[in-house]
Amino acid sequence: MKVLYNREAEGCEQDTVSVELWQFQNGKIRMELPSGFGEMEEERKAFFFPYEKRPEMIMEDRDEDVRLTLQFLENQKGDGDVYGAAAGVSRLVKEAFPQYGQSTLHLSEEGQLSAGWFLLYMEELQAEHMKTVFLPEEGMLMLLTVTYPEEKRAKWRELCRYIRKSVRVRADGEETGGMEYREKERQV
């Protein structure tokens, strides 16, 4: 566990936030997530994601007000253009959810993997939703979403930036480590 923000530090107005290393796809994909996240209960999954093709990973924090999902999808283009892939996701989301305002599309090259990301403004739910697209390997698109209450926007925008920067692909021969996400019946 690593401490990002320490409430006791001089000048810190942020609550203490610790992060833990998580691994997905049999340890191939790794990222650091704030401590306190765990798999969402089945009843809550059915409520928040009432459709058959749910994301592979659905987590929430202890307070049950921040949700995080991760999906691994086929990237048919396979050209490595993360911005173009994110633009495609952005268009699909805009068509599927026209009631939500959407930010401009951003490209982040701060971590090992470049990421395309954008925000959805869900006013009637008093929430903000960040979608991030990564291309961890040829033919694969990884979609990370984080939904958080509007009043926690400043904190979670910064934490989402940290999460984006922490995502990496394990190199061949590199040791695995950290918490492994496992669904009850199958490993992601």
Side-chain angles (χ1 to χ4, degrees):
M1 188 175 329
K2 176 168 69 175
V3 176
L4 281 186
Y5 304 106
N6 184 344
R7 179 84 167 141
E8 306 303 316
E10 185 177 335
C12 184
E13 296 179 16
Q14 172 67 275
D15 291 334
T16 298
V17 176
S18 300
V19 294
E20 298 170 312
L21 179 65
W22 282 78
Q23 57 181 345
F24 308 93
Q25 296 288 94
N26 296 317
K28 185 155 180 82
I29 308 294
R30 304 170 93 183
M31 71 178 76
E32 293 180 23
L33 298 176
S35 300
F37 270 88
E39 185 176 359
M40 185 182 280
E41 294 177 5
E42 289 302 318
E43 302 81 42
R44 291 181 57 77
K45 285 181 184 179
F47 176 78
F48 286 106
F49 304 92
Y51 38 87
E52 193 173 309
K53 286 192 108 179
R54 293 182 184 143
E56 288 94 335
M57 182 198 84
I58 303 173
M59 302 173 80
E60 65 185 344
D61 69 343
R62 284 186 201 109
D63 297 332
E64 298 182 339
D65 66 346
V66 178
R67 291 176 299 286
L68 187 145
T69 68
L70 190 62
Q71 292 174 274
F72 296 94
L73 307 165
E74 185 179 330
N75 180 20
Q76 294 161 343
K77 278 189 175 180
D79 60 4
D81 177 16
V82 71
Y83 190 83
V89 170
S90 174
R91 279 190 300 277
L92 289 173
V93 168
K94 192 175 276 189
E95 290 171 12
F97 302 101
Q99 71 272 31
Y100 300 139
Q102 191 170 317
S103 74
T104 57
L105 184 60
H106 303 274
L107 179 64
S108 171
E109 295 180 315
E110 296 179 293
Q112 182 199 44
L113 293 177
S114 295
W117 65 277
F118 60 94
L119 298 170
L120 286 180
Y121 309 110
M122 307 161 88
E123 289 181 24
E124 72 280 356
L125 301 176
Q126 297 179 346
E128 195 167 85
H129 183 83
M130 186 264 326
K131 288 198 174 288
T132 305
V133 172
F134 299 91
L135 302 177
E137 62 184 42
E138 191 172 326
M140 179 190 287
L141 182 148
M142 185 173 87
L143 179 61
L144 170 70
T145 65
V146 182
T147 305
Y148 44 87
E150 175 67 30
E151 71 267 9
K152 295 183 179 181
R153 175 182 61 194
K155 171 184 176 177
W156 278 96
R157 282 188 180 180
E158 189 59 33
L159 286 174
C160 287
R161 178 177 178 228
Y162 181 85
I163 293 168
R164 283 192 305 269
K165 288 172 28 177
S166 79
V167 174
R168 61 190 178 100
V169 176
R170 181 175 49 104
D172 290 337
E174 183 181 356
E175 279 189 40
T176 59
M179 301 176 73
E180 189 167 345
Y181 181 85
R182 292 179 182 269
E183 285 191 322
K184 291 177 178 48
E185 295 180 15
R186 64 180 169 87
Q187 183 175 347
V188 173

